[in-house]
Amino acid sequence: MREKNTFYITTPIYYPSGHMHIGHTYTTVAADTMARFKKMTGHQVYFLTGTDEHGQKIERSAQEAGIPPQQFVDGIVAQTKQLWDLMNIKYDDFIRTTDERHIQAVQRIFQKLYDQGDIYKDAYEGQYCVPCEAFWTASQLKEGNLCPDCSRPTELVREESYFLRMSKYQDWLIEHIETHPEFIQPPSRAKEMLQNFLKPGLQDLSISRTSFTWGVPVPFDPEHVIYVWIDALSNYITALGYTTENQDLMDTYWPADVQLVGKEITRFHTIYWPIILKALGLPLPKQIFAHGWLLFNEDKMSKSKGNVAYPGPVVKHYGADALRYYLMREMPFGADGNYTNQAMMTRVNSDLANDLGNLLSRTVAMIEKYFDGVIQAPGKYEQVDLDLIALLEALPQKVEEEMNALQFSQALSEIWKVIGASNRYIDLTEPWILGRSEEGKERLRTVLYVLAESLRFIGILIDPVMPSTPEKMFCQLGISDEGIQTWASLDRFGHTPAGQRVMKGEAIFPRIDIKADLPVLEAENEVEHQKSNPKAAEEEKAAKPAVPLIGIEDFQKIQLVTAKVLACEKVKKSDKLLQFRLKVGDEERTVLSGIAEHYEPETLIGRTLVLLANLPPRKIRGIESEGMLLSAASDDESTLRLLFVDEGVGDGAGIA
Ligand code: MSP
């Protein structure tokens, strides 16, 4: 029998057609956060993720890469597992639809459904979208037979197919959805499913193909491969050993507590999946939660469209916790939101470097300064202390409520309210003034104790979202006793023992220099994109005009003039810069140019060069440079040559 405190959570299984990007990371981090939270609050958790490796799309990607499909997916799966390790994702099982255990179980499922009459053979004709692996009816297609999901052209496909009897289960499913409002979350998705698909009437579902071979063969008709959705959806139970002799995991964990999906696959998970389960005589998952998309320029990120952000560069520079925090904090779970590196950096600076990082570093620094690093026993609490203590003691329950509703952003917002209140508490109690007198120091013991204890609460509560950070905080706070790092130890304020020694460490989230880092991240993201999808990257490059065309009015904005070199010398302590004194008609200008490795300064005196004269002046190494000298670079940029003007034209002449 199923124990009450188990918790089974799943992510969709991802297509290994290219490297996983921030969108896939989003779902996986959400599942990991939830799994960690449930573990922390005493549940026996099982967290499943994996890859959906069959189908025409993967077959084509492998062909393009010029390798057999199995070799192709093996490579991407290895990358995916590395990425999940990097993101600190602790799954209990990773299922691949090419696993033998899965293939055999899917065949047994198909056979059972066929034997009991839920599957029959017929012919199918329809518009099919290869990238989305979906057939669409005429009323669903966009104008021009475009796929309603991805707007790409669909293909007319006619083939013999096995079908799953869906209509038979329609009324039952409508009733289930209507009587279980928690089943499809957020509720707007339930409405959408009822209105758009269930109430108009379900058509039987085509569940096999003969047009490609990369899939699980129908056991009694090997011309057909089992079409992706039956193959893919069953992963959630084949991973638990369904249809095998050992039913322990099924008995313990099925039905799943929460299945996370992106909103575009809600239909498959709230209509097809329940019907498959019903036909198999299995209970339905308690909840399917459809979250929103991370958008990139208002469009869904897509490996094949090339508008993708990858987690690797972000994690390399700022750590997995910063990205995990941003993903869980930025948008309410269920809604869409834009992803940009700049917004991520801004939030990391404000919430992590400022609010949390400063609270920790100020508290530890003050305990070191005023009490030689030893946390003191608190004295009598005053109202201002009691106010903060009340906030802290109420916090775990608020966080639990939000987490149980998968409102990660709200849960974090509650925690950050208390971080804000703790920072304000410092302003209100003014420790720097208390530290000046003996009497004040008596009071300061209590103030710093309250702050240390507040940080203990915060450290424990952020753990599911940011699993590497609490350890760093506890180390600085000197908390080594694991008993006071647990959810249970949030039962009341005051478990931090007096006498504990703090230890100042490095900033847990150093401030990001956004301006300097943005171009670096962008360049590294481009490298990831090329590695992930060399063909698409090449095509994008070819499609981009190398230089945009401009009108003559654009050129007229540029003031190019001839300039005569009056003096030229190396800039001190710089290998690259030459400082020019130039005569430009009636005026003289100072200009710096990064050309020192290519010319001896004295050879340039008296020569006439081309100057871009209407750039705003810029200070470089304390010298104001008033313009830019034009030069040409060799392909590898190892050689630079200045542009000289032939004799006969003086300085200050316009160039057009
Ligand atoms: N293989 C199917 C799912 C089968 S589940 C039985 C599939 N794979 S996928 O690789 O396309 O991954 C889709 C999932 O990745 C989405 O449902 C969503 O969870 C996640 N995301 C991919 N891109 C995303 C965004 N841009 N934003 C948020 N999540 C996104 O569909």
Side-chain angles (χ1 to χ4, degrees):
M1 266 313 284
R2 185 186 164 99
E3 287 172 38
K4 256 195 71 221
N5 77 336
T6 58
F7 187 78
Y8 180 31
I9 185 163
T10 64
T11 71
I13 47 171
Y14 305 109
Y15 291 130
S17 54
H19 295 188
M20 299 303 144
H21 56 62
I22 287 206
H24 308 106
T25 307
Y26 179 62
T27 320
T28 319
V29 166
D32 185 65
T33 296
M34 200 58 200
R36 285 176 186 270
F37 181 75
K38 285 290 177 182
K39 240 178 244 170
M40 175 164 103
T41 50
H43 296 79
Q44 181 188 330
V45 174
Y46 205 73
F47 166 21
L48 175 71
T49 189
T51 38
D52 184 1
E53 307 185 8
H54 292 128
Q56 201 166 2
K57 188 161 119 179
I58 302 281
E59 198 175 51
R60 284 191 186 169
S61 298
Q63 253 166 20
E64 280 167 10
I67 50 177
Q70 188 65 53
Q71 192 184 333
F72 178 81
V73 292
D74 285 352
I76 298 200
V77 167
Q79 298 264 7
T80 304
K81 288 184 172 173
Q82 271 175 18
L83 177 62
W84 296 160
D85 284 349
L86 188 73
M87 290 303 303
N88 226 331
I89 305 288
K90 294 265 180 293
Y91 49 81
D92 293 287
D93 193 2
F94 188 109
I95 184 139
R96 302 181 54 179
T97 52
T98 54
D99 286 346
E100 206 43 45
R101 58 173 173 160
H102 177 77
I103 294 173
Q104 287 183 9
V106 167
Q107 287 186 322
R108 286 192 288 261
I109 289 170
F110 198 96
Q111 183 82 52
K112 177 173 157 67
L113 295 175
Y114 183 72
D115 291 346
Q116 69 193 35
D118 278 306
I119 289 177
Y120 64 94
K121 196 172 181 178
D122 203 342
Y124 192 92
E125 187 173 283
Q127 293 297 133
Y128 182 66
C129 176
V130 175
C132 297
E133 315 230 18
F135 271 99
W136 300 103
T137 60
S139 64
Q140 290 166 333
L141 287 166
K142 278 193 187 168
E143 218 183 293
N145 284 347
L146 301 183
C147 170
D149 265 359
C150 72
S151 302
R152 280 176 278 215
T154 54
E155 296 171 13
L156 181 69
V157 173
R158 183 188 158 78
E159 58 184 57
E160 211 181 41
S161 171
Y162 284 92
F163 286 83
L164 179 67
R165 275 185 220 287
M166 301 264 285
S167 40
K168 174 174 157 190
Y169 295 102
Q170 177 174 316
D171 293 342
W172 157 79
L173 185 55
I174 291 175
E175 197 199 320
H176 183 84
I177 294 174
E178 286 177 340
T179 53
H180 295 78
E182 72 296 344
F183 176 51
I184 304 178
Q185 287 298 315
S188 56
R189 298 272 161 231
K191 245 195 199 154
E192 185 186 327
M193 291 302 122
L194 287 168
Q195 266 168 19
N196 297 358
F197 301 107
L198 281 160
K199 298 263 163 94
L202 287 180
Q203 294 184 352
D204 289 352
L205 178 69
S206 162
I207 51 168
S208 77
R209 291 285 177 277
T210 50
S211 51
F212 61 92
T213 54
W214 179 240
V216 180
V218 170
F220 46 85
D221 192 353
E223 285 276 284
H224 286 252
V225 292
I226 297 174
Y227 170 57
V228 64
W229 285 106
I230 278 235
D231 172 17
L233 288 163
S234 353
N235 89 85
Y236 304 126
I237 48 177
T238 62
L240 300 182
Y242 179 64
T243 75
T244 68
E245 270 170 22
N246 186 346
Q247 290 299 291
D248 291 353
L249 286 175
M250 271 306 276
D251 292 344
T252 313
Y253 293 109
W254 193 258
D257 293 85
V258 180
Q259 301 207 261
L260 300 185
V261 298
K263 65 179 182 180
E264 79 289 0
I265 52 174
T266 313
R267 177 164 62 117
F268 305 109
H269 283 83
T270 60
I271 298 180
Y272 303 175
W273 180 223
I275 288 178
I276 295 169
L277 288 167
K278 174 77 177 166
L280 291 172
L282 290 172
L284 304 196
K286 293 181 194 159
Q287 185 165 93
I288 305 285
F289 200 114
H291 64 71
W293 286 342
L294 283 181
L295 304 172
F296 197 81
N297 298 334
E298 307 302 320
D299 195 5
K300 185 181 173 232
M301 282 184 215
S302 148
K303 284 177 284 222
S304 47
K305 281 191 268 175
N307 57 342
V308 187
Y310 292 94
V314 180
V315 176
K316 181 177 125 193
H317 291 281
Y318 316 118
D321 279 7
L323 181 58
R324 289 174 64 113
Y325 173 76
Y326 178 75
L327 292 176
M328 293 297 94
R329 178 69 184 88
E330 187 65 9
M331 59 203 217
F333 205 59
D336 289 348
N338 246 316
Y339 178 86
T340 65
N341 280 326
Q342 183 158 6
M344 180 271 299
M345 291 165 158
T346 306
R347 199 176 258 293
V348 169
N349 274 349
S350 72
D351 298 8
L352 302 184
N354 270 4
D355 299 348
L356 176 61
N358 283 346
L359 179 62
L360 177 69
S361 61
R362 287 162 93 188
T363 303
V364 171
M366 289 191 289
I367 296 171
E368 288 202 330
K369 178 167 175 193
Y370 297 115
F371 297 107
D372 290 332
V374 178
I375 295 179
Q376 306 292 303
K380 197 170 170 328
Y381 292 124
E382 295 183 2
Q383 193 54 45
V384 64
D385 311 326
L386 293 171
D387 289 347
L388 183 56
I389 292 171
L391 284 181
L392 284 167
E393 289 190 330
L395 185 59
Q397 198 196 334
K398 285 188 188 157
V399 170
E400 188 170 27
E401 275 166 20
E402 297 295 353
M403 289 296 289
N404 283 341
L406 288 96
Q407 288 310 311
F408 307 104
S409 178
Q410 273 307 107
L412 288 170
S413 156
E414 292 295 342
I415 299 173
W416 255 256
K417 276 187 208 159
V418 176
I419 293 176
S422 303
N423 276 317
R424 271 195 305 283
Y425 173 82
I426 300 183
D427 300 338
L428 289 173
T429 52
E430 299 180 313
W432 51 94
I433 295 178
L434 294 176
R436 288 185 202 148
S437 67
E438 270 320 300
E439 197 193 341
K441 271 189 101 175
E442 251 332 281
R443 167 79 185 124
L444 189 53
R445 291 166 182 268
T446 310
V447 168
L448 293 179
Y449 183 86
V450 170
L451 284 169
E453 184 63 353
S454 165
L455 280 159
R456 184 181 73 86
F457 266 64
I458 292 160
I460 294 169
L461 289 169
I462 61 171
D463 184 281
V465 177
M466 308 165 74
S468 307
T469 303
E471 202 184 308
K472 292 181 195 159
M473 292 173 62
F474 294 151
C475 180
Q476 295 205 23
L477 290 166
I479 300 176
S480 53
D481 174 2
E482 286 185 3
I484 59 169
Q485 300 176 19
T486 60
W487 174 258
S489 72
L490 299 180
D491 59 335
R492 65 171 176 81
F493 179 92
H495 283 302
T496 291
Q500 189 173 288
R501 184 171 281 281
V502 302
M503 201 165 46
K504 196 155 176 51
E506 291 185 353
I508 49 172
F509 290 100
R511 253 195 106 67
I512 302 174
D513 180 344
I514 300 182
K515 220 164 141 198
D517 281 17
L518 252 186
V520 177
L521 273 197
E522 263 160 34
E524 290 181 3
N525 197 59
E526 184 53 32
V527 172
E528 288 273 332
H529 180 49
Q530 304 231 356
K531 272 197 274 176
S532 159
N533 205 338
K535 193 160 175 279
E538 233 170 67
E539 281 167 7
E540 280 159 32
K541 228 176 164 179
K544 269 189 212 151
V547 180
L549 296 176
I550 59 167
I552 190 72
E553 65 286 357
D554 292 316
F555 182 69
Q556 277 162 353
K557 289 184 199 149
I558 297 170
Q559 191 196 0
L560 293 173
V561 291
T562 58
K564 187 163 177 187
V565 183
L566 298 176
C568 183
E569 60 183 13
K570 280 194 127 183
V571 172
K572 278 190 199 111
K573 290 192 193 152
S574 165
D575 298 334
K576 296 212 161 98
L577 290 174
L578 287 186
Q579 179 176 350
F580 291 80
R581 190 70 190 156
L582 301 171
K583 181 167 174 301
V584 187
D586 294 342
E587 58 169 323
E588 286 189 15
R589 289 196 187 198
T590 298
V591 172
L592 297 185
S593 177
I595 202 111
E597 289 161 318
H598 306 273
Y599 288 97
E600 289 305 324
E602 53 279 14
T603 62
L604 297 171
I605 297 170
R607 308 214 43 190
T608 303
L609 302 171
V610 178
L611 176 72
L612 175 55
N614 61 336
L615 278 179
R618 194 161 72 110
K619 258 204 172 145
I620 308 172
R621 296 196 172 241
I623 306 166
E624 191 159 82
S625 179
E626 304 159 291
M628 186 175 89
L629 288 169
L630 297 198
S631 61
S634 62
D635 264 1
D636 60 357
E637 300 199 347
S638 61
T639 308
L640 286 181
R641 287 289 169 255
L642 285 163
L643 299 193
F644 297 102
V645 178
D646 248 351
E647 287 180 11
V649 180
D651 55 85
I655 296 171

